[in-house]
Amino acid sequence: SIPELPDERKKRYIEKYGLPDYDAAILTSSRHLSDFFDETVAAYGNAKAISNWIMVDVMKRINSGNPDSSCIKLRPVFLAKLIKLTDDNVISTRMAKQIFDIMWDTGMDPADIIRKYDFTMITDRSVIRGLVSDVIKENPGSVTDFKKGKLKAKDFLIGQVMRMSSGKAHPGIVNSVLDDELAKYLN
């Protein structure tokens, strides 16, 4: 009936989840934080991703506000959902960071935030192909630069597609479609 002691938890985090010693030490620095981690892992098993989110985003918020992690509005199951949505490429990492901020402040479910604020990622290749075509037409100089071997021109074009889509286009698909379209100009 004695709760797991911090050293035992730390050892378990290292051995079971493969977390670095430093991460495990931070996660076990408070019982509330350890419980939060364990509940989040129970809801979604990607312990390393969960550790990363807690180590960066949760700790940043705890350190900038009330240091008592027991005051967190964010529920572990909601953080687990957010990480899963990112892992499943339903939302981008950039979107996830924005959603996290809203979750932190409100305690809302990420699915509700996605619906309310229209955080949906564009994954339809034909839609992305249309965006890429528009960007190529609007930026012929960048296409010329790319043909001359200036690889930064492709990064610029990707940025323009992301801007045109308000950051909603799936970056991997944008990159793939842009490669296909730029290949036409190399022949």
Side-chain angles (χ1 to χ4, degrees):
S1 65
I2 296 175
E4 186 178 29
L5 297 174
D7 287 342
E8 293 168 346
R9 268 189 170 176
K10 181 180 174 186
K11 183 179 177 185
R12 177 169 56 88
Y13 292 172
I14 293 168
E15 292 176 359
K16 183 175 182 180
Y17 302 126
L19 298 181
D21 185 74
Y22 177 79
D23 292 14
I26 297 295
L27 292 171
T28 57
S29 64
S30 111
R31 181 168 178 217
H32 294 292
L33 199 57
S34 295
D35 291 346
F36 187 88
F37 175 76
D38 285 338
E39 289 176 41
T40 309
V41 170
Y44 180 59
N46 188 343
K48 184 58 182 157
I50 292 165
S51 172
N52 289 342
W53 273 89
I54 291 174
M55 295 290 297
V56 175
D57 299 279
V58 172
M59 292 303 295
K60 176 181 167 187
R61 291 302 198 105
I62 288 172
N63 291 334
S64 68
N66 185 339
D68 180 2
S69 59
S70 66
C71 296
I72 297 173
K73 287 183 190 177
L74 175 67
R75 293 180 42 207
V77 68
F78 291 165
L79 180 59
K81 283 183 179 182
L82 180 69
I83 295 168
K84 182 167 180 7
L85 289 166
T86 307
D87 287 351
D88 291 346
N89 290 316
V90 173
I91 58 173
S92 67
T93 303
R94 182 172 165 245
M95 288 177 181
K97 297 288 184 181
Q98 293 172 312
I99 293 166
F100 175 84
D101 288 341
I102 296 167
M103 288 169 53
W104 184 269
D105 293 337
T106 65
M108 286 175 66
D109 184 313
D112 294 337
I113 294 168
I114 289 168
R115 278 190 297 278
K116 182 175 181 177
Y117 297 99
D118 192 28
F119 281 109
T120 52
M121 201 155 57
I122 301 169
T123 57
D124 184 327
R125 287 183 82 81
S126 62
V127 172
I128 292 175
R129 190 169 305 284
L131 293 170
V132 167
S133 294
D134 290 346
V135 165
I136 286 174
K137 286 177 193 168
E138 292 174 10
N139 298 283
S142 293
V143 174
T144 302
D145 288 347
F146 180 78
K147 286 172 31 178
K148 291 178 182 176
K150 295 181 181 176
L151 300 180
K152 293 244 183 227
K154 180 183 173 192
D155 294 339
F156 172 78
L157 293 171
I158 289 171
Q160 293 305 299
V161 173
M162 296 308 289
R163 182 188 57 76
M164 188 178 280
S165 71
S166 300
K168 293 182 177 185
H170 186 286
I173 298 173
V174 169
N175 192 43
S176 172
V177 170
L178 187 58
D179 282 345
D180 292 347
E181 293 300 311
L182 289 174
K184 296 175 185 176
Y185 292 91
L186 295 176
N187 296 330

